[in-house]
Amino acid sequence: MLGQVARDLVLRVDDVPDPYGNATVRTRREMLGGKGGNQAVALAQLGVPASLVGVVGNDSVGARLLEQARTDRVDVSHVISREGAQTALIVDIVDDTRRWRYLEHIPTDVRLAESDVLAASTVIKRAGWVLCQLQQPLDAILLATRLARDAGTRVILDGAPSGSADDIAEVFSRAHVIRANEHEAELLTGQPITDVTTAADAAYQLLDYGPTLVVLAVSGAGNLFVSRTGRQLFPLLDVDVADTTGAGDALIGTFTAALAHGEGTRRAAAFAVAAAANSASRLGGRPVLRWRDLAADAERLAP
Ligand SMILES: Nc1ncnc2c1ncn2[C@@H]1O[C@H](COP(=O)(O)OP(=O)(O)OP(=O)(O)O)[C@@H](O)[C@H]1O
Ligand SMILES: [Mg+2]
């Protein structure tokens, strides 16, 4: 997958302090994160060989993150350690009501450039699937999706890109699956996603770009999977939410892993939603996924 690699620092506090105030941190976790990191770890945990294409700085934090990724059995041979760059840092502050606030330091030079994608062209062409996180620069995504299309690698896109309408249309036309949360879907279609009906409208609009499947989150309702032949809403699972950070990454990572394992769309969707709920029940974006833990929920969602 192509995406951000970052050091995630997760801090649980009772309440976020006002200016000049302070707060005691109840729980502190530091982990390999960023959407690319989270998605790669999800696939590796589910037994699917995953190559990460991303950028860290050539600093000690970057070295540590790569070490962690190797321990997670993610192939990092296409992660660039950029000379002179600072590895991205994302601070995730979660309060007692489980609301998060992110402080993000993602320097421009630890985002993917076209040359980084070119250096990874062999792995992109060889892969069955390429999963792209659309917050990366669009020129890099354009190149990755072109390489993928020419090689017959299927493309899954997550998020909302920024760029010209023509470039976005080109990237989307190469996708097999497009997935977005409510906010991203609104950015993409210009229409607020307030319920299943508005989500379905947005999904049909996105299907016009050419993908086979569109997956949209619907606040308070669940996740809607829409193709030309039908649609299905998978409701939110009843879990004690700790932090929704990374739940979208767990969802799309698991969906991709299930397809790679040969599951059909409906079963893959059920596993994906089970993984999202599992991720929401833990602090931080780093997944802890095993098929057998997801099986009961998946079975219920798609018997
Ligand atoms: N209890 C739950 N059951 C099923 N799915 C859930 C549950 N809680 C959250 N989700 C799903 O998790 C996903 C969160 O996605 P979203 O893209 O907003 O987060 P993310 O990618 O993890 O983080 P970011 O906000 O940084 O992109 C949504 O699809 C949402 O429906
Ligand atoms: Mg997301």
Side-chain angles (χ1 to χ4, degrees):
M1 63 272 332
L2 282 83
Q4 195 61 54
V5 188
R7 170 190 179 203
D8 273 5
L9 175 58
V10 186
L11 306 173
R12 244 280 286 129
V13 295
D14 292 338
D15 215 350
V16 176
D18 289 332
Y20 308 112
N22 60 346
T24 300
V25 172
R26 302 284 174 204
T27 311
R28 164 177 156 183
R29 302 238 170 96
E30 294 195 48
M31 52 187 101
L32 163 66
K35 291 174 204 291
N38 292 338
Q39 293 171 7
V41 169
L43 280 151
Q45 288 175 343
L46 295 172
V48 176
S51 296
L52 181 55
V53 180
V55 185
V56 295
N58 71 332
D59 49 14
S60 58
V61 175
R64 233 170 50 224
L65 295 184
L66 291 184
E67 196 47 52
Q68 177 62 55
R70 280 186 207 101
T71 308
D72 289 322
R73 277 181 285 211
V74 171
D75 167 32
V76 292
S77 52
H78 301 282
V79 177
I80 308 289
S81 290
R82 186 98 72 217
E83 192 65 38
Q86 256 183 313
T87 296
L89 168 70
I90 301 172
V91 183
D92 169 19
I93 303 169
V94 185
D95 71 15
D96 221 16
T97 63
R98 311 305 189 243
R99 286 176 305 179
W100 49 254
R101 292 168 178 84
Y102 299 147
L103 303 175
E104 302 184 329
H105 181 231
I106 306 177
T108 313
D109 52 1
V110 290
R111 295 184 192 264
L112 281 166
E114 279 176 295
S115 54
D116 305 326
V117 173
L118 212 50
S121 54
T122 329
V123 72
I124 293 171
K125 289 181 189 164
R126 217 177 40 214
W129 300 86
V130 62
L131 174 51
C132 300
Q133 181 240 303
L134 294 177
Q135 282 83 353
Q136 294 296 305
L138 198 54
D139 52 357
I141 302 293
L142 270 165
L143 176 57
T145 53
R146 183 164 60 75
L147 291 169
R149 183 207 50 200
D150 292 350
T153 303
R154 277 157 295 180
V155 173
I156 298 187
L157 304 175
D158 180 54
S162 41
S164 74
D166 284 352
D167 285 350
I168 292 174
E170 197 167 336
V171 164
F172 279 10
S173 72
R174 297 171 183 157
H176 187 71
V177 180
I178 297 175
R179 189 244 156 214
N181 67 21
E182 307 79 352
H183 174 65
E184 292 158 347
E186 179 172 346
L187 285 175
L188 291 171
T189 62
Q191 103 180 24
I193 311 297
T194 51
D195 54 18
V196 174
T197 308
T198 47
D201 287 347
Y204 289 119
Q205 217 175 305
L206 293 173
L207 278 175
D208 285 340
Y209 285 110
T212 309
L213 181 73
V214 172
V215 183
L216 297 184
V218 190
S219 287
N223 288 276
L224 188 64
F225 290 71
V226 185
S227 72
R228 287 276 171 221
T229 54
R231 65 188 214 209
Q232 187 169 4
L233 177 76
F234 288 84
L236 295 174
L237 297 179
D238 186 16
V239 293
D240 273 336
V241 173
D243 177 12
T244 58
T245 300
D249 300 328
L251 188 149
I252 198 64
T254 303
F255 187 70
T256 310
L259 293 180
H261 272 291
E263 295 285 1
T265 304
R266 190 160 154 275
R267 290 268 298 166
F271 276 104
V273 169
N278 174 296
S279 168
S281 72
R282 64 180 69 244
L283 207 52
R286 183 185 162 79
V288 181
L289 297 172
R290 284 181 306 201
W291 290 116
R292 64 170 179 275
D293 295 341
L294 306 176
D297 282 332
E299 196 54 44
R300 214 157 28 78
L301 290 167

